Amino acid sequence: MDDAATGSRLALILSGGGARAAYQVGFLSYLSKEFPKIVPPILTGVSAGAVNAAFLAAHEEPFPARVAGLRRLWMDLEMSDVFRVDARHLAWQVSRWGAQLVSGGSRRQTGVQGLVDTEPLRQLLHRVLNAEGGRLPGIARNLESGVHDAVALTTTSYATGRSVTWVQASEGSHIQAWERAHRRSVTAALSVEHVMASAALPLFVPAVRLDRSWYGDGGIRLTAPLSPAVHLGADRILAISTRYMRSPEEAEASAIDGYPPPAQVAGVLLNAIFLDLLDGDALRLERINELVDALPRERRNGMRHVELLILRPSLDLGLLASEYEIDLPRAFRFLVRGLGTHQTRSADMLSLILFQPGYLRRLVALGETDARARREEIAQFLGARPSTVPL
C-alpha cells in the first residue's frame, strides 16, 4: 500500500448497473496505472459491481495486474457469455412466461424463474474467479496475507424483503455484524453463488438460493449504499457510480414522444432502484460529517468523519446504449424491441443488459477518459502523488 494510505482505511465501492459496470473497469484501469501502490483494504460490490469486486478480491497478483485482468475480461465479453440468446431458447422462455401468466395459479404452472438462462455467466465466473467447488479461495488468502481487510457483497432476500450484505473479513479485523431497518450483515465464505445472487436482476435473471432462501439483486433494497463500507471501518470511500448526472436542461428533455412503452417505464424503475440511491446516501453522509465535526471527540459516541469521492460518467450511458441496439443478436433484439426500446431516446433498461463488445469497450474507454480528466482531484483525495503517466 502507498505510504500516504498507511493508517487510513480506504474502501472501494462498486455500484450496480448491469453492463454499465464496464465503465467502472475503465476508471479502475486508469487509477491502477496512475496510482499503482494504492490497494483498497475494503472492497464492496452490489449487482454487477459485485462481479468486479469479487474478481479483484479473488486474484492474488499485484493490484494493477488484477485490474488489467478484469479489463481483459470485459473487453472480450459477449452477450452469450452472460446468458443464452439463441432464438429457440428465448422463444421457449417467453412461451413459458406466457403460460404461467394465464395459468390462474394452477398447480401445473411452468415454474419459470427468469426471462433468461444465466448458466453461461455462472460457468464464466467459476473459471475467471478461480473457484474451487464454488468457493473463492483467493479471497481468503488475500485476507490472511493482509492485502485486504474485508470483502462484502450485497443481495436482497426475496423471503424477507431485506438487504443482506455477506461479509468475509480477516481474523484480526474485529468487524462486528450489523442490523438496521431493512438491512443486515452475515459473515460468510464468499462464493460464486453470492456473486450470482447479487447480480440477479429481478424477473429478468433467476434468483439464487443461499442458506435455504432465495436472493436477488442487491440493489433492490439497499437504501444506504455507503453503509457496508462505513460498517467495515472505512474512513475514506471511493465510489464509482454508473449514473450520469444530468443538467437541468437534460433532465427536463423528454425521452419519448407518445405513451411510455414498457422499456421506458422499466428504465425509470431500474434507475430508481440501482442508480439514484447513492446520491441520497452521499448527502446523508455529508450531513453526518458536519455533525461529527461540530462535536468534541468525547461526545462523538463512536461516530467518525468519513471522506467520500464519487466518480461518475461524463456521458449518459443510456443514450450511448441506443447507438448499439442494432448490434444485438437478432432474436434478442426482436424481444426487447417488443418492449419498446426503439421508441425511447434513452435506453436505460437496455443499457443494463447490453453485453455487446462495442458498447462495453466504449464504456471502458469512457471510464479511462473520465479518470484522466479528474486526475488531480483523485490524487488529492488519495493523498498520493500521480505517477509519470501523461495527461
Side-chain angles (χ1 to χ4, degrees):
M1 184 181 298
D2 190 278
D3 290 340
T6 302
S8 180
R9 292 171 61 82
L10 172 67
L12 175 64
I13 291 183
L14 299 173
S15 63
R20 296 184 182 205
Y23 174 81
Q24 299 172 349
V25 179
F27 227 119
L28 289 172
S29 180
Y30 185 81
L31 291 183
S32 67
K33 297 173 183 176
E34 191 76 359
F35 309 99
K37 294 183 180 180
I38 294 291
V39 182
I42 300 168
L43 296 171
T44 76
V46 59
S47 191
V51 175
N52 291 339
F55 188 100
L56 296 175
H59 287 260
E60 300 171 72
E61 304 91 346
F63 199 71
R66 289 187 247 170
V67 174
L70 183 60
R71 186 181 189 277
R72 288 193 296 272
L73 170 64
W74 280 91
M75 294 292 279
D76 295 336
L77 197 65
E78 297 186 6
M79 189 164 286
S80 59
D81 295 321
V82 182
F83 43 78
R84 292 183 59 182
V85 292
D86 56 282
R88 178 177 297 181
H89 176 75
L90 289 174
W92 171 242
Q93 287 293 93
V94 171
S95 65
R96 292 177 69 200
W97 267 107
Q100 181 152 319
L101 287 172
V102 300
S103 68
S106 168
R107 293 183 178 181
R108 299 182 62 184
Q109 293 182 40
T110 61
V112 63
Q113 296 182 340
L115 185 60
V116 296
D117 179 0
T118 52
E119 187 58 29
L121 176 61
R122 179 176 279 106
Q123 295 176 9
L124 175 68
L125 292 178
H126 272 272
R127 185 171 69 254
V128 302
L129 298 181
N130 299 326
E132 296 179 4
R135 297 294 179 90
L136 306 178
I139 294 180
R141 288 192 287 266
N142 278 328
L143 293 171
E144 291 170 3
S145 65
V147 174
H148 299 299
D149 293 338
V151 182
L153 307 179
T154 300
T155 62
T156 298
S157 170
Y158 284 133
T160 66
R162 302 181 76 189
S163 175
V164 179
T165 298
W166 307 85
V167 179
Q168 187 169 349
S170 60
E171 291 185 4
S173 62
H174 304 296
I175 293 171
Q176 296 182 348
W178 65 87
E179 185 157 354
R180 299 290 186 271
H182 307 302
R183 53 189 170 92
R184 69 187 183 100
S185 69
V186 176
T187 300
L190 297 176
S191 67
V192 169
E193 294 307 291
H194 289 98
V195 182
M196 289 290 297
S198 185
L201 287 171
L203 299 180
F204 189 79
V205 174
V208 176
R209 194 173 181 87
L210 298 170
D211 285 356
R212 301 183 299 280
S213 190
W214 292 96
Y215 292 85
D217 198 294
I220 299 174
R221 290 303 300 271
L222 187 57
T223 56
L226 303 176
S227 65
V230 174
H231 283 295
L232 294 174
D235 54 31
R236 290 181 304 150
I237 296 175
L238 185 65
I240 305 179
S241 172
T242 58
R243 180 182 184 274
Y244 169 69
M245 185 66 75
R246 294 177 180 176
S247 67
E249 293 77 15
E250 290 172 319
E252 287 299 319
S254 176
I256 55 175
D257 295 322
Y259 188 83
Q264 177 68 16
V265 176
V268 172
L269 288 174
L270 291 172
N271 276 345
I273 293 172
F274 300 119
L275 303 179
D276 294 345
L277 295 176
L278 180 60
D279 297 310
D281 204 22
L283 180 60
R284 283 194 294 270
L285 180 61
E286 181 181 343
R287 291 175 176 172
I288 291 173
N289 282 339
E290 292 174 355
L291 174 63
V292 170
D293 294 343
L295 291 172
R297 291 188 179 276
E298 63 272 14
R299 295 186 57 191
R300 292 181 179 179
N301 296 323
M303 293 191 299
R304 64 188 185 279
H305 185 108
V306 179
E307 295 289 340
L308 171 66
L309 178 62
I310 299 179
L311 310 172
R312 61 175 75 253
S314 59
L315 298 176
D316 189 329
L317 304 189
L319 288 175
L320 288 183
S322 301
E323 300 177 17
Y324 294 91
E325 189 242 18
I326 193 64
D327 296 332
L328 286 168
R330 180 176 297 179
F332 193 79
R333 184 172 71 246
F334 179 83
L335 180 64
V336 296
R337 282 191 173 182
L339 298 174
T341 55
H342 64 303
Q343 298 173 28
T344 174
R345 286 177 286 277
S346 183
D348 287 325
M349 185 198 79
L350 185 62
S351 71
L352 299 176
I353 57 176
L354 192 63
F355 293 95
Q356 284 296 101
Y359 181 61
L360 299 179
R361 292 171 185 174
R362 178 81 175 273
L363 297 191
V364 171
L366 179 63
E368 292 173 335
T369 299
D370 287 350
R372 186 179 297 111
R374 299 183 65 179
R375 170 185 176 178
E376 298 303 327
E377 180 185 3
I378 295 169
Q380 183 177 2
F381 176 79
L382 295 175
R385 293 185 301 273
S387 70
T388 56
V389 177
L391 283 172

